[in-house]
Amino acid sequence: MIKNVGVLAAVFVLMMAVSASAAGFKKEYKMQVTVGPKLYWGMGATKFAELVKEKTNGQINVKPYFGSALLKGAQLKSSQMVAKGVIDCALDSTINISPVIPEANIFHLPFFLNDFENLDKVKNGEAGKAVFDAMRAKRLEPLAWAENGFRQLTNSKVAVKTPADMKGLRIRVVGNPLFIDTFRALGADPVNMNWGDAVAGFQQGVVDGQENPVGVLIPIQIYQYHKYVSMWNYLVDPLIIYWNQREWNAFPKDIQAAILEAAQEAGRFEIALSRAGLDGDTSLNILKNEFNYTMEVPDPIAFMKSKGMEVHMLTDEEREAFAAATRSVYDKWIKEIGPEVYEKAKADIAK
Ligand code: X2X
């Protein structure tokens, strides 16, 4: 009798193993993440992996590879590699996606989208849909939005309040050419660097400044290198969780639904982390009430000041001067993005 139970158990285990391999899931699905695990972006990736495991009852195992490790640091190659299926999925910035999806540069026109409300209108509106459609046409399946945030200027030399203050400043920018054009238009001296080299560049003073959201700047302790912050919300990089389309289409419907749910929940969590303390109590409350999560730095601006940084909040008039100085960028880049996407974004904002 006991012997029979043993045999039955062995047969059962064997059947389970056969059915798991028949489902054809990989042991590990590799996920590209540009930054490290301690940044909000990285925390969002970890959350996604955990939720996918939970919601698929352990059938799908997503492993985030932080610091663009799968790309040897070449962050701008992520979409190309996911489209080819060399990498399964990614949580990546629209900035890094734009070499394959020029429409994604709609978020990076300087001084175009300047607050969370406009950003949400565009993401959830016709322009956001155009970006997702463009991804699908390039064999990438977008699952959910997340957010790196509005990007702010920091530097070690001068309190930047006008375009004239930027003259000759050596600013590290990501290797997306729209950024080079923008900083040249402002009279600065932009330098392309991958994120993996950028932090060492700040430490060694190879550059005078950089632009990134506070959710990146605080964890990397930018205050050790740069005294001045200009809160200028000059552009934003939403993040997108996306998957190789062929692999996505081959997943059973219940698996797709579970992963999609995980992406949306992780995206909501990560957006709240990125906005915490920058949108009144809204995101702090989402974190507390929905995710039982308390922020370590609930007020990023006060925190930067407490570390000795001089924070300048740009006034509307000051912003206007920067917008005027970067008009030439619009002339060139709206053509690349697609004028119809630009019109859609303007209409989304006007709604
Ligand atoms: O490289 C950057 O500046 C970063 C980390 O913000 C992006 O990947 C866009």
Side-chain angles (χ1 to χ4, degrees):
M1 179 65 186
I2 291 181
K3 204 173 156 200
N4 281 348
V5 170
V7 169
L8 272 176
V11 168
F12 181 72
V13 167
L14 196 70
M15 277 167 59
M16 290 299 286
V18 168
S19 82
S21 68
F25 299 135
K26 290 185 186 171
K27 256 199 181 141
E28 172 185 299
Y29 290 88
K30 294 185 180 356
M31 180 180 216
Q32 140 70 7
V33 187
T34 313
V35 299
K38 293 208 175 102
L39 277 61
Y40 301 144
W41 178 343
M43 288 165 67
T46 301
K47 184 90 174 168
F48 175 62
E50 284 168 7
L51 288 171
V52 167
K53 190 165 207 170
E54 187 186 306
K55 290 176 192 290
T56 63
N57 299 316
Q59 295 180 89
I60 302 295
N61 170 32
V62 171
K63 179 163 177 202
Y65 284 78
F66 295 104
S68 299
L70 297 170
L71 300 166
K72 299 200 171 68
Q75 64 197 73
L76 290 142
K77 292 210 170 129
S78 66
S79 301
Q80 202 189 326
M81 291 304 157
V82 175
K84 278 189 185 163
V86 176
I87 297 173
D88 300 294
C89 58
L91 170 51
D92 216 342
S93 161
T94 44
I95 296 176
N96 299 326
I97 291 170
S98 61
V100 175
I101 312 293
E103 291 85 349
N105 270 327
I106 189 64
F107 297 102
H108 318 137
L109 284 174
F111 306 96
F112 177 48
L113 296 172
N114 58 343
D115 61 28
F116 294 128
E117 195 188 336
N118 287 342
L119 168 61
D120 287 341
K121 283 179 173 174
V122 169
K123 268 178 1 189
N124 303 324
E126 293 303 311
K129 190 173 168 298
V131 172
F132 274 21
D133 286 347
M135 290 179 78
R136 291 196 177 99
K138 291 277 164 66
R139 286 176 284 125
L140 302 168
E141 187 62 29
L143 306 182
W145 297 98
E147 197 161 300
N148 196 20
F150 281 95
R151 298 175 76 91
Q152 318 296 357
L153 183 71
T154 68
N155 82 93
S156 59
K157 299 268 153 109
V158 57
V160 173
K161 300 176 182 174
T162 69
D165 298 327
M166 296 194 62
K167 195 160 172 32
L169 279 185
R170 245 173 106 74
I171 305 291
R172 176 270 167 176
V173 292
V174 65
N176 172 333
L178 190 158
F179 287 73
I180 291 278
D181 290 346
T182 300
F183 281 82
R184 287 216 177 114
L186 291 170
D189 178 13
V191 188
N192 278 156
M193 281 172 138
N194 279 328
W195 180 243
D197 304 318
V199 181
F202 308 152
Q203 281 165 352
Q204 293 156 10
V206 175
V207 289
D208 303 319
Q210 65 75 49
E211 48 74 59
N212 252 287
V214 294
V216 171
L217 300 177
I218 291 175
I220 66 156
Q221 306 188 336
I222 200 74
Y223 43 82
Q224 290 199 35
Y225 325 112
H226 298 162
K227 182 168 173 59
Y228 304 99
V229 190
S230 299
M231 295 292 293
W232 64 351
N233 281 21
Y234 88 118
L235 56 85
V236 63
D237 50 328
L239 307 176
I240 300 175
I241 301 176
Y242 64 96
W243 210 286
N244 170 277
Q245 198 175 58
R246 200 176 325 117
E247 192 168 77
W248 178 260
N249 288 341
F251 280 143
K253 286 281 170 281
D254 61 327
I255 293 290
Q256 284 182 351
I259 299 175
L260 198 57
E261 216 182 276
Q264 278 156 1
E265 200 173 319
R268 184 163 168 83
F269 173 66
E270 200 277 340
I271 290 173
L273 289 175
S274 295
R275 294 185 183 186
L278 299 172
D279 64 351
D281 286 340
T282 308
S283 289
L284 288 167
N285 284 337
I286 291 176
L287 291 169
K288 205 160 83 202
N289 302 334
E290 291 179 31
F291 297 97
N292 195 22
Y293 187 87
T294 313
M295 288 300 285
E296 227 172 276
V297 179
D299 185 341
I301 293 172
F303 181 83
M304 291 190 293
K305 286 182 183 161
S306 78
K307 293 291 180 187
M309 292 188 95
E310 212 174 276
V311 181
H312 179 65
M313 310 295 288
L314 239 73
T315 64
D316 288 346
E317 294 79 56
E318 285 169 342
R319 215 171 174 276
E320 273 312 308
F322 281 97
T326 48
R327 277 324 289 191
S328 59
V329 177
Y330 281 57
D331 299 338
K332 172 171 169 191
W333 281 92
I334 287 170
K335 283 190 208 110
E336 306 265 339
I337 292 165
E340 66 296 345
V341 178
Y342 178 60
E343 291 308 322
K344 281 179 180 169
K346 281 201 296 187
D348 289 335
I349 292 168
K351 271 180 202 148

